[in-house]
């Protein structure tokens, strides 16, 4: 049994083989009755086992975005090479954690995620006592994580978190100004009576740029991460907009933050070569505008030609993104 497994066994936590194959295990966290009335909910924490010859002087907790789940083993290897034990969390009703009959990714309040985030942090800290934890989050996860950290800081429970890396965080609603005014007000009202109503939104090309069936180089489960994305529900979007409003009033995550984003946005319902070298999901100008609301020390790095998930970009921008993270980790003494 590895030291990592021994630590986990000591805490009474059961780990089983994960779909990512050898070297990856998962732990299912039962979270009880869904506040939104869709039965019992759970979350799934996935860990990359610490391998022979690797040292651990820190840990990483990764949080995915909308229509997503943890599958990025290259990202896990990157952090492991820098002395960080790696854990990826599939939030309730997402990826591995979604149960039959549940609306994908649906919550009426982003604060519901605090339960699995708190429990995941407890498990990481128990397995690796005394080491700093870096939270890494993508897209919607990049909104969820700062809100969670701000609540933990205000409650005096920030430790052992020591850093935050946000990968194209969703900090405002993209589109025309009417989307952030009248449409947001309409969503707020409709969410009270028809929270599960799906919105009719234009299709994009993002999934096509990532998967090996398109122009991407990544293998992932297209049931858990559909190429066209899951439907966006009114109630979920209302929860996101409330999160945006809270962030815009100013947070303090309490730790240094690194924000990575593409240098440009390109929206189109049809694929072109530009789709592979831009954020086709979010408006990067909004990320630049609102990153200052995270509080504490914030470093923003535009990555030339990066996709929405900068770590799933083409080789050159992906390498630039990893180089930026490496430099930031070393500056903050978070890399071995």
């Amino acid at each position: 049994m590895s030291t990592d497994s021994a630590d986990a066994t000591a805490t009474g936590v059961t780990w089983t083989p994960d779909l990512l194959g050898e070297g990856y295990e998962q732990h299912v966290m039962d979270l009880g009755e869904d506040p939104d009335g869709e039965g019992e909910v759970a979350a799934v924490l996935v860990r990359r086992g610490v391998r022979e010859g690797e040292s651990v002087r820190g840990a990483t907790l990764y949080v995915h975005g909308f229509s997503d789940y943890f599958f990025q083993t290259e990202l896990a290897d990157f952090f492991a090479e820098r002395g960080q034990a790696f854990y990826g969390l599939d939030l309730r009703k997402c990826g591995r954690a979604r149960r039959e009959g549940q609306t994908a990714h649906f919550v009426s309040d982003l604060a519901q995620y605090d339960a699995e985030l708190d429990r995941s942090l407890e498990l990481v800290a128990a397995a690796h006592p005394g080491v700093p934890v870096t939270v890494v989050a993508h897209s919607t996860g990049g909104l969820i994580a700062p809100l969670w950290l701000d609540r933990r800081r205000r409650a005096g429970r920030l430790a052992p978190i020591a850093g935050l890396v946000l990968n194209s965080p969703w900090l405002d609603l993209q589109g025309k100004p009417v989307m952030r005014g009248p449409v947001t007000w309409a969503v707020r009202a409709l969410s009270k009576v028809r929270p599960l109503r799906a919105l009719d939104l234009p299709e994009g090309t993002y999934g096509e740029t990532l998967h090996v069936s398109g122009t991407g180089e990544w293998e992932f489960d297209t049931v858990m991460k559909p190429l066209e994305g899951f439907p966006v529900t009114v109630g979920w979007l209302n929860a996101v907009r409330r999160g945006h409003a809270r962030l815009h009033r100013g947070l303090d995550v309490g730790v240094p933050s690194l924000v990575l984003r593409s240098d440009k946005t390109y929206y189109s319902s049809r694929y072109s070569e530009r789709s592979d070298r831009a954020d086709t999901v979010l408006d990067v100008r909004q990320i630049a505008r609102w990153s200052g609301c995270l509080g504490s020390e914030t470093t923003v790095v535009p990555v030339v030609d990066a996709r929405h998930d900068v770590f799933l970009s083409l080789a050159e921008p992906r390498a630039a993104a990893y180089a930026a993270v490496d430099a930031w980790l070393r500056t903050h003494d978070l890399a071995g």
Side-chain angles (χ1 to χ4, degrees), residues 157-295:
R157 299 188 301 118
L158 195 56
I161 298 169
L164 175 65
V165 177
L166 299 182
N167 166 11
S168 301
W170 192 14
L171 305 184
D172 203 355
L173 185 61
Q174 60 272 40
K176 298 178 180 179
V178 68
M179 299 294 293
R180 292 178 290 281
V183 171
T184 293
W185 304 332
V187 163
R188 184 172 303 169
L190 188 57
S191 68
K192 297 177 182 178
V193 292
R194 296 192 61 187
L196 297 180
R197 176 178 173 179
L199 295 170
D200 184 16
L201 300 175
E203 294 185 1
T205 61
Y206 181 55
E208 180 183 350
T209 67
L210 301 184
H211 197 256
V212 290
S213 63
T215 58
E217 57 188 279
W218 311 101
E219 293 267 13
F220 52 81
D221 188 320
T222 55
V223 174
M224 294 194 287
K225 181 179 174 63
L227 298 187
E228 69 280 6
F230 285 111
V232 173
T233 58
V234 169
W236 176 83
L237 184 58
N238 180 58
V240 168
R241 292 301 287 148
R242 288 169 56 201
H244 286 156
R246 176 67 190 90
L247 175 114
H248 295 170
R249 292 194 296 271
L251 306 177
D252 185 356
V253 299
V255 296
S257 300
L258 171 65
V259 179
L260 300 171
R261 63 172 178 84
S262 180
D263 65 324
K264 54 186 165 294
T265 292
Y266 175 66
Y267 296 135
S268 177
S269 60
R270 299 182 65 180
Y271 173 81
S272 75
E273 290 186 1
R274 295 177 64 187
S275 305
D276 277 318
R277 296 182 176 276
D279 190 324
T280 59
V281 178
L282 297 182
D283 186 337
V284 298
R285 296 170 301 179
Q286 293 175 333
I287 300 174
R289 176 184 181 186
W290 296 112
S291 291
C293 290
L294 296 170

Side-chain angles (χ1 to χ4, degrees), residues 8-288:
T9 301
T11 64
V13 175
T14 300
W15 294 89
T16 59
D18 184 65
L19 57 88
L20 291 176
E22 185 177 359
Y24 285 87
E25 296 176 309
Q26 64 168 254
H27 169 63
V28 179
M29 298 180 285
D30 293 320
L31 302 172
E33 191 70 21
D34 178 23
D36 295 316
E38 292 193 325
E40 297 287 319
V41 288
V44 179
L45 185 65
V46 180
R47 69 175 181 180
R48 177 193 181 279
V50 178
R51 300 171 188 175
E52 185 175 355
E54 293 180 346
S55 61
V56 175
R57 62 183 301 269
T60 298
L61 176 60
Y62 174 79
V63 186
H64 61 80
F66 180 67
S67 288
D68 210 351
Y69 72 102
F70 169 61
F71 66 91
Q72 295 90 337
T73 56
E74 182 182 85
L75 183 68
D77 291 342
F78 169 85
F79 280 96
E81 289 167 1
R82 286 150 185 82
Q84 297 211 22
F86 190 93
Y87 293 76
L89 175 62
D90 279 13
L91 300 164
R92 64 184 68 196
K93 303 185 190 178
C94 305
R96 301 165 178 81
R98 185 186 175 198
R99 295 178 173 176
E100 187 176 355
Q102 293 181 340
T103 306
H105 293 254
F106 180 78
V107 292
S108 59
D109 188 337
L110 299 184
Q112 290 180 22
Y113 294 130
D114 286 10
E116 52 259 51
L117 288 163
D118 286 342
R119 194 177 302 183
S120 296
L121 184 62
E122 290 169 5
L123 291 172
V124 172
H128 312 284
V131 306
V133 175
T134 303
V135 176
V136 181
H138 170 55
S139 197
T140 310
L143 174 64
I144 293 165
L147 294 169
W148 169 58
L149 292 187
D150 181 70
R151 285 189 286 268
R152 285 189 66 94
R153 179 197 56 78
R154 286 187 280 116
R157 299 188 301 118
L158 195 56
I161 298 169
L164 175 65
V165 177
L166 299 182
N167 166 11
S168 301
W170 192 14
L171 305 184
D172 203 355
L173 185 61
Q174 60 272 40
K176 298 178 180 179
V178 68
M179 299 294 293
R180 292 178 290 281
V183 171
T184 293
W185 304 332
V187 163
R188 184 172 303 169
L190 188 57
S191 68
K192 297 177 182 178
V193 292
R194 296 192 61 187
L196 297 180
R197 176 178 173 179
L199 295 170
D200 184 16
L201 300 175
E203 294 185 1
T205 61
Y206 181 55
E208 180 183 350
T209 67
L210 301 184
H211 197 256
V212 290
S213 63
T215 58
E217 57 188 279
W218 311 101
E219 293 267 13
F220 52 81
D221 188 320
T222 55
V223 174
M224 294 194 287
K225 181 179 174 63
L227 298 187
E228 69 280 6
F230 285 111
V232 173
T233 58
V234 169
W236 176 83
L237 184 58
N238 180 58
V240 168
R241 292 301 287 148
R242 288 169 56 201
H244 286 156
R246 176 67 190 90
L247 175 114
H248 295 170
R249 292 194 296 271
L251 306 177
D252 185 356
V253 299
V255 296
S257 300
L258 171 65
V259 179
L260 300 171
R261 63 172 178 84
S262 180
D263 65 324
K264 54 186 165 294
T265 292
Y266 175 66
Y267 296 135
S268 177
S269 60
R270 299 182 65 180
Y271 173 81
S272 75
E273 290 186 1
R274 295 177 64 187
S275 305
D276 277 318
R277 296 182 176 276
D279 190 324
T280 59
V281 178
L282 297 182
D283 186 337
V284 298
R285 296 170 301 179
Q286 293 175 333
I287 300 174

